[in-house]
Amino acid sequence: MLTDTLPTNWSYVSEGGESIVFSYKGPDNPLYTGTVLRLRKCSLTNRNPPNAEAVVFHEEIMARLIDPTFLPKIQHVHVGQGAELWLNALAALCEPQRPLERKRTDRIDSRCQNAALATDLVGCEALTIEIKPKWGFLPSPTHLSEATQPIKTRTCRFCMHSHLKAQPSSFCPLDLYSGEECRIKKALEGLWEVWLDSDGAINNFRVFVHGKRISSEESSSISKEATISALLGILTTSPVLRTLSRLQRTLDALDIEGLATLWNAADVGGNPTVSEWHEFITSYLSSPNAPPPATPEHLRYHVLAYLLSATFKDCSIIVGIASRTVTVIDLALKSIDRLSKWEQLDREILSAYAAVPVQDRKICVDAAI
Ligand SMILES: [Zn+2]
């Protein structure tokens, strides 16, 4: 039980939209040494009960889609007696290290009874890099509107979103996913620049030295050239990016526009159960490149597919430089409530990018088209 350890034994590592991660720094313990703890967060304004199936989802579903060699080994742990007090103490301890924008919106969910323990991928090596590769494909034109088709099939989602956020960068995910050495190198150099310029505020690239995340001001402690060259060697020989891009693309056959047309004609339903996920995966794996037609009776298939695609668009990879390992992390289940927000965001991104003169729009090349 987690409450057998002290909250001070756990050191803050990082957090995503759904969960927060700590690394064990306490006295030697056969269960906890060399592990990280992942706890669910909850919104400060909307304290819905946590999705108890999230951990099960990760293990059972992801292992059917991604070779488990590339997934962290996860085990469940009970928080134990006095869970709320223990979690509140941990929440108070980590508060000063959390990014301001996260502190404003959410916190550790102190009602959680269960948590996930995973291999500490960054603490066990001298140098590890975390990359959030984002969307790795251009959408098929089939379900796009006349207005968005010429824009979306030319400039990738990440580059358009960066424009909306006024965060221009030379990094384009399609370079990273291209499988071509010179384009991957360009992408890595772009990510390095983003890291230096934004000091980690843009979280697509993070560097950990002996488990501690280093700021761009400390970047002189590692060699840019040697690190990029090592990353390049590892990423060009690993199937992970190719797998992520294929999953994202084949699970998002309609684009949010095509999907929205369907959900306006039928009811999307609630969040799927684990068994519904399994049925879906079986159906998807039987013909990943030939989804059912875009008709309202197949809405549920396309909704589940889109939710999974969103998970793969938002995950990160951890690259161990010495071990030459690539591990996919942050594969959290997305809630069905997000669909309409994504549609809204898509409209905002497109309307901002439509205002860019055609000759100034970025041309992103999808190597698979
Ligand atoms: Zn791009």
Side-chain angles (χ1 to χ4, degrees):
M1 288 193 300
L2 268 180
T3 46
D4 294 339
T5 65
L6 296 171
T8 48
N9 294 154
W10 296 93
S11 138
Y12 174 83
V13 178
S14 62
E15 61 194 284
E18 315 274 333
S19 61
I20 179 164
V21 179
F22 297 86
S23 152
Y24 182 73
K25 301 291 179 203
D28 266 350
N29 181 306
L31 184 59
Y32 300 116
T33 301
T35 67
V36 289
L37 172 67
R38 183 176 291 276
L39 291 167
R40 283 198 65 84
K41 299 196 297 185
C42 62
S43 153
L44 292 179
T45 50
N46 172 18
R47 300 197 74 204
N48 282 332
N51 182 349
E53 291 180 332
V55 178
V56 180
F57 171 80
H58 175 277
E59 271 178 68
E60 293 183 3
I61 310 286
M62 290 304 156
R64 294 183 66 190
L65 297 169
I66 294 181
D67 179 342
T69 321
F70 304 113
L71 295 173
K73 312 271 171 294
I74 293 190
Q75 53 178 320
H76 310 260
V77 60
H78 285 293
V79 184
Q81 277 197 335
E84 193 160 355
L85 267 180
W86 194 93
L87 291 168
N88 280 332
L90 185 64
L93 281 169
C94 72
E95 207 59 10
Q97 286 150 281
R98 300 184 62 210
L100 197 59
E101 73 275 14
R102 297 286 190 196
K103 282 200 247 189
R104 285 191 189 127
T105 56
D106 55 28
R107 52 160 285 147
I108 291 177
D109 191 336
S110 56
R111 298 159 304 171
C112 274
Q113 291 298 317
N114 296 297
L117 271 184
T119 323
D120 187 355
L121 296 163
V122 300
C124 302
E125 285 204 45
L127 180 60
T128 39
I129 310 290
E130 179 180 342
I131 296 173
K132 204 185 241 305
K134 304 301 284 185
W135 296 39
F137 66 101
L138 291 176
S140 143
T142 317
H143 301 281
L144 304 180
S145 71
E146 244 172 66
T148 62
Q149 199 240 55
I151 305 175
K152 282 189 177 178
T153 53
R154 219 167 93 119
T155 308
C156 82
R157 158 65 187 238
F158 176 87
C159 291
M160 287 193 289
H161 198 186
S162 301
H163 173 79
L164 177 71
K165 292 188 286 187
Q167 292 172 340
S169 94
S170 62
F171 168 65
C172 169
L174 299 191
D175 289 330
L176 187 68
Y177 285 105
S178 68
E180 295 164 28
E181 199 171 315
C182 60
R183 290 185 64 192
I184 300 176
K185 185 162 186 261
K186 178 171 175 269
L188 293 171
E189 284 169 345
L191 283 168
W192 192 282
E193 269 169 42
V194 169
W195 176 51
L196 291 189
D197 294 347
S198 75
D199 193 22
I202 302 174
N203 64 355
N204 294 89
F205 194 83
R206 287 171 172 159
V207 180
F208 296 85
V209 173
H210 294 292
K212 187 179 171 292
R213 185 173 154 196
I214 64 165
S215 71
S216 57
E217 279 162 18
E218 300 163 289
S219 65
S220 55
S221 65
I222 54 165
S223 153
K224 174 186 170 183
E225 230 165 63
T227 308
I228 287 183
S229 156
L231 278 172
L232 192 59
I234 298 165
L235 293 177
T236 47
T237 50
S238 164
V240 167
L241 288 173
R242 198 167 58 242
T243 302
L244 288 178
S245 156
R246 176 176 47 76
L247 288 167
Q248 291 176 8
R249 183 194 308 270
T250 53
L251 289 163
D252 178 7
L254 308 186
D255 190 83
I256 194 76
E257 286 184 46
L259 188 61
T261 310
L262 288 194
W263 87 56
N264 287 330
D267 180 20
V268 287
N271 279 314
T273 61
V274 172
S275 67
E276 191 184 2
W277 275 119
H278 274 294
E279 277 170 37
F280 166 77
I281 302 281
T282 303
S283 165
Y284 165 73
L285 289 175
S286 67
S287 57
N289 297 310
T295 53
E297 64 265 35
H298 295 295
L299 171 65
R300 194 71 180 165
Y301 176 98
H302 289 292
V303 164
L304 267 63
Y306 195 87
L307 290 177
L308 265 186
S309 178
T311 291
F312 295 118
K313 289 163 184 165
D314 202 31
C315 70
S316 295
I317 57 170
I318 298 272
V319 185
I321 298 295
S323 62
R324 298 182 62 83
T325 50
V326 182
T327 311
V328 186
I329 62 160
D330 289 351
L331 290 164
L333 171 62
K334 306 289 179 190
S335 169
I336 212 159
D337 313 338
R338 305 272 289 271
L339 286 173
S340 52
K341 286 179 197 150
W342 289 329
E343 190 206 4
Q344 173 66 28
L345 177 62
D346 183 69
R347 274 201 298 264
E348 283 170 31
I349 290 174
L350 264 293
S351 87
Y353 213 73
V356 176
V358 176
Q359 67 274 17
D360 296 337
R361 290 181 195 159
K362 207 164 161 180
I363 298 175
C364 306
V365 179
D366 185 338
I369 294 179

